[in-house]
Amino acid sequence: IKHFSQLHPILTPLILTTFYTAIVAIPTPLAASVCIIAGFLFPLTAAIIYASIAETLGSLILLHAVGTTFGQRIQQSSSTRIQMVVKNMRTSATLYIITLRLLCVFPSAIINIAAGLVKIPTSRYAIITFFSSLPAAFVFSLFGRGVEKTLLSEKPIHAGDLFTPPIIIFLIVFISLTIAAHLYQRHRKK
C-alpha cells in the first residue's frame, strides 16, 4: 500500500478521503482505523488534513440525511443515547459537540444524527466538525506513523513504540482542556 501511495500521490489521497467519507456517512466504526492508515501512508500533516476533511464531509452527508425520511425514522426510533445528546445539544451545541468529539465519548454517528435532529446550520457544523476532529486525527495519524516506524525497524513491536510520549502528552492536554471547558460551562450556568 505504501508503495502504491508513493506511485500515485494524487489518486491515493482521493481514494482514502472518499473511503473515509463513506465510512463516516454510512456510519461504520472503522474511521479510526482509516485514520491510522492515513498516518501510515502520508506525512503527518497531510494525514491529519485528509482525515479531518473526510470526517467533515461524511458528517455533513449524515447530517443532511437526517433531514430526509431517513431522519424521521431515526427520530421515531432513536435510542436514549441519541435523545440525551439531542437534549444537551439544544442548550449549548457548539461547546457540547466540541467536547464530545474531543473526548470521543460517543461515536461520530450519534453526534451527527443528533446535530441533524437539532438542525444545526451546515456551515457552522462543518467548521465545528473540521476543527474538533483535528485532535483525534492527529493522535490516530501519529499512531499510524508509529506503526510505520515500528514496521520499518524490524524489531519486535511494543506498546511503547506506538504510544509515544507526544501522543500521551497530547491526549492529557486535550482531555484537560475539554474537562476545563465543561467545568466552565457548568460554572457559567450557575
Side-chain angles (χ1 to χ4, degrees):
I1 293 177
K2 183 80 170 175
H3 182 66
F4 180 85
S5 72
Q6 291 167 341
L7 289 175
H8 304 284
I10 295 175
L11 181 62
T12 307
L14 287 173
I15 291 170
L16 182 112
T17 304
T18 303
F19 183 64
Y20 195 137
T21 299
I23 283 173
V24 174
I26 292 177
T28 66
L30 300 173
S33 301
V34 177
C35 196
I36 291 169
I37 292 169
F40 176 78
L41 293 176
F42 308 111
L44 184 61
T45 304
I48 294 167
I49 291 170
Y50 299 151
S52 294
I53 288 170
E55 179 75 31
T56 302
L57 292 173
S59 295
L60 291 174
I61 291 168
L62 189 53
L63 178 86
H64 286 288
V66 171
T68 65
T69 345
F70 167 72
Q72 292 169 354
R73 278 190 248 143
I74 288 176
Q75 196 164 10
Q76 292 167 354
S77 65
S78 64
S79 69
T80 54
R81 285 174 42 169
I82 292 175
Q83 291 170 5
M84 181 186 73
V85 173
V86 166
K87 178 185 169 201
N88 289 322
M89 209 176 271
R90 288 190 198 284
T91 60
S92 179
T94 301
L95 183 60
Y96 194 67
I97 293 167
I98 291 170
T99 302
L100 292 178
R101 287 204 184 275
L102 289 177
L103 289 179
C104 300
V105 176
F106 288 104
S108 182
I110 290 179
I111 300 167
N112 298 332
I113 290 168
L117 294 174
V118 173
K119 299 191 183 332
I120 293 178
T122 302
S123 59
R124 180 173 159 205
Y125 194 64
I127 292 167
I128 293 168
T129 300
F130 180 80
F131 287 106
S132 64
S133 69
L134 288 171
F138 173 80
V139 170
F140 290 122
S141 296
L142 196 57
F143 190 80
R145 303 296 307 152
V147 168
E148 178 189 28
K149 287 179 185 173
T150 302
L151 291 176
L152 291 176
S153 74
E154 298 181 13
K155 296 186 306 184
I157 299 174
H158 300 287
D161 297 331
L162 303 175
F163 289 102
T164 60
I167 289 178
I168 294 168
I169 291 168
F170 191 79
L171 288 172
I172 290 169
V173 167
F174 270 95
I175 288 171
S176 299
L177 288 172
T178 304
I179 290 170
H182 183 70
L183 292 173
Y184 172 76
Q185 181 73 13
R186 278 190 157 180
H187 176 72
R188 204 175 83 194
K189 285 183 181 178
K190 290 180 182 181

